Amino acid sequence: MTDSNRRKGLRAASVLLGGVLVLSACSGGDSEASSGGGDSTSQAKVDEAAAKKASEAQIKITPKDGSDNASINNAAKVTVSKGTLTDVTMKTAAGTAVAGRISADKKSWSPTGQLERSTSYKITATADDSAGRTAHENASFTTVSPANSFIGNFTPEDGSTVGVGMPVSINFDKAITDKAAVQKGITVSSSSGQEVVGHWFSANRLDFRPEDYWKGGSTVTLKLNLDGVEGANGVYGVQQKTVTFKVGRNQVSVVDARTKTMKVTRDGKTVKTIPISAGGPDNKTYQGQMVISEKFKETRMDGSTVGFTKKDGKGEYDIKDVPHAMRLSNSGTFIHGNYWGAKSIFGAVNTSHGCVGLSDTKGAGDPNTPAAWFYNNTLIGDVVVVKNTGDKTVAPDNGLNGWNLGWAAWKAGSAA
């Protein structure tokens, strides 16, 4: 072979060899994989080994990471399966720690107090499996804002003792459009077994009462299970609370504007008859069943705040130290002590601007006056029935005076 022919042969061999090499490089992965070698097999083995070393503990944090409008009561929780919790921390976005407790079996954790609205929180959790291998989980969420939540301000207070006429009255800070959903989340029950029904006076007010006054000596329980209840579009409840109160003796006082007396009965027996002075001919006192909602040993009464004004805009009266005042309506009707009127008017003449006056002394310091006796023997929730005034019956929602609605009308206002 000449040198020229030898060089041509070498070039051909090189091209052929290059083709073999290229073919080998493209197909080598499959070939090596089938024989147990190569990069993918090595990675698979690494993954398998890592999986064997990973903890079996499965941590779950609620609410899920990134949630908003979360509950302030019971949304936050950490649980673990196939392991036990060893550490859980919860902090606000500002770094303030939130107290919490891991359960005795170390399977769950929850905060020990209520969360704040419109607050971002971060939870970090650690757990070990039976082999001591550790797992970690993190989540962040934001609680519901005041703009997207509602609360109900209720009366009477937890642990209080009240009169037999005291309704459970709830005033919501947002207008409720889904009244049925909200009422379903509220229960009121009595140890007496009386049927208790709710009545909506407006989109913001819901009262509960039985057909007749509460049984004296009974216990009433209010349960607010409103957490997460959508009361209006995009507006959720945040309360989860149980309230109990006691009903005291049955005291009902009957004011008769014609005889100008008040007869106080307790458990069906008359215990005292008190001379009174009701509203005068131009300012008659409302009639009807009224419930005492507030008590003040002394208070200011300014006529301008309830529509009694003179031409100069000042109140027709402004008494800064009215003694032994007990509220009967939101519009300004009180039963109260009167020290400025002559003693001769009580039991004889109706002279007030619509309140029921009892003889008293300035300073509310004399316990022997009729007004002091009545004040000291009265509970919030006691009933005062006013009759023979010639005026209209007080509106059922003017104060805590729903007893002026018949039972059928009361039940008709329920959304349940």
Side-chain angles (χ1 to χ4, degrees), residues 121-198:
Y121 292 93
K122 181 177 181 179
I123 296 178
T124 300
T126 305
D128 288 346
D129 65 9
S130 58
R133 295 170 294 193
T134 301
H136 302 275
E137 193 68 53
N138 298 276
S140 299
F141 64 91
T142 302
T143 51
V144 65
S145 69
N148 294 105
S149 60
F150 70 88
I151 61 171
N153 297 300
F154 57 85
T155 190
E157 296 180 358
D158 187 31
S160 59
T161 299
V162 299
V164 296
M166 188 70 186
V168 173
S169 186
I170 304 171
N171 287 273
F172 299 101
D173 65 348
K174 302 281 196 312
I176 302 300
T177 56
D178 194 342
K179 294 178 180 178
V182 171
Q183 190 170 335
K184 185 178 179 181
I186 303 172
T187 59
V188 181
S189 59
S190 171
S191 62
S192 67
Q194 291 172 278
E195 179 188 12
V196 184
V197 176

Side-chain angles (χ1 to χ4, degrees), residues 190-384:
S190 171
S191 62
S192 67
Q194 291 172 278
E195 179 188 12
V196 184
V197 176
H199 179 94
W200 289 88
F201 283 115
S202 68
N204 294 82
R205 179 177 170 184
L206 171 63
D207 284 17
F208 289 83
R209 51 158 268 217
E211 181 175 6
D212 300 312
Y213 302 144
W214 303 105
K215 300 295 184 185
S218 60
T219 298
V220 180
T221 301
L222 162 67
K223 291 185 178 180
L224 297 169
N225 293 310
L226 296 174
D227 187 65
V229 174
E230 191 170 16
N233 186 29
V235 180
Y236 299 88
V238 296
Q239 287 168 297
Q240 188 169 296
K241 189 176 184 65
T242 298
V243 174
T244 61
F245 59 91
K246 295 282 291 184
V247 179
R249 74 288 176 275
N250 182 321
Q251 180 166 301
V252 177
S253 302
V254 178
V255 171
D256 188 332
R258 183 176 299 139
T259 63
K260 302 165 187 67
T261 59
M262 178 172 67
K263 184 180 294 185
V264 182
T265 64
R266 189 173 297 160
D267 298 323
K269 297 179 180 180
T270 300
V271 295
K272 200 171 187 69
T273 299
I274 301 173
I276 62 96
S277 180
D282 295 331
N283 300 295
K284 298 172 183 177
T285 306
Y286 284 134
Q287 299 190 131
Q289 302 173 76
M290 303 186 213
V291 173
I292 293 177
S293 58
E294 291 183 291
K295 293 176 63 181
F296 305 97
K297 189 171 182 180
E298 289 184 281
T299 192
R300 178 185 180 186
M301 290 188 178
D302 181 354
S304 65
T305 63
V306 289
F308 292 111
T309 55
K310 296 184 290 188
K311 291 182 179 180
D312 60 4
K314 294 183 179 180
E316 290 184 18
Y317 57 87
D318 187 1
I319 306 170
K320 296 179 174 61
D321 57 351
V322 177
H324 300 120
M326 292 152 276
R327 181 183 292 278
L328 296 176
S329 78
N330 290 341
S331 60
T333 309
F334 280 78
I335 182 167
H336 63 78
N338 177 335
Y339 66 80
W340 54 89
K343 301 301 180 185
S344 59
I345 68 172
F346 301 103
V349 186
N350 292 323
T351 60
S352 82
H353 282 78
C355 291
V356 176
L358 312 177
S359 179
D360 208 341
T361 56
K362 185 177 177 65
D366 185 352
N368 298 311
T369 64
W373 181 92
F374 187 66
Y375 182 91
N376 293 330
N377 285 275
T378 292
L379 295 172
I380 297 293
D382 279 350
V383 179
V384 177

Side-chain angles (χ1 to χ4, degrees), residues 5-216:
N5 291 336
R6 187 184 302 113
R7 284 193 293 270
K8 289 179 181 179
L10 288 172
R11 283 197 298 272
S14 296
V15 171
L16 180 60
L17 182 58
V20 171
L21 288 173
V22 171
L23 178 62
S24 176
C26 290
S27 62
D30 291 339
S31 173
E32 289 175 5
S34 63
S35 62
D39 291 343
S40 61
T41 301
S42 299
Q43 186 60 50
K45 288 184 176 181
V46 170
D47 292 344
E48 183 180 357
K52 289 181 179 179
K53 292 179 181 179
S55 175
E56 292 184 350
Q58 301 292 321
I59 302 172
K60 180 181 179 181
I61 298 176
T62 53
K64 66 181 181 179
D65 189 37
S67 297
D68 56 14
N69 283 332
S71 166
I72 63 174
N73 293 291
N74 53 14
K77 191 172 184 180
V78 180
T79 58
V80 64
S81 59
K82 298 182 180 180
T84 55
L85 292 171
T86 57
D87 183 65
V88 178
T89 60
M90 182 175 182
K91 294 182 179 180
T92 66
T96 303
V98 176
R101 182 181 299 113
I102 294 177
S103 62
D105 62 4
K106 298 184 178 181
K107 293 291 186 180
S108 65
W109 175 96
S110 58
T112 53
Q114 191 179 66
L115 305 183
E116 298 293 330
R117 288 192 281 182
S118 288
T119 304
S120 294
Y121 292 93
K122 181 177 181 179
I123 296 178
T124 300
T126 305
D128 288 346
D129 65 9
S130 58
R133 295 170 294 193
T134 301
H136 302 275
E137 193 68 53
N138 298 276
S140 299
F141 64 91
T142 302
T143 51
V144 65
S145 69
N148 294 105
S149 60
F150 70 88
I151 61 171
N153 297 300
F154 57 85
T155 190
E157 296 180 358
D158 187 31
S160 59
T161 299
V162 299
V164 296
M166 188 70 186
V168 173
S169 186
I170 304 171
N171 287 273
F172 299 101
D173 65 348
K174 302 281 196 312
I176 302 300
T177 56
D178 194 342
K179 294 178 180 178
V182 171
Q183 190 170 335
K184 185 178 179 181
I186 303 172
T187 59
V188 181
S189 59
S190 171
S191 62
S192 67
Q194 291 172 278
E195 179 188 12
V196 184
V197 176
H199 179 94
W200 289 88
F201 283 115
S202 68
N204 294 82
R205 179 177 170 184
L206 171 63
D207 284 17
F208 289 83
R209 51 158 268 217
E211 181 175 6
D212 300 312
Y213 302 144
W214 303 105
K215 300 295 184 185

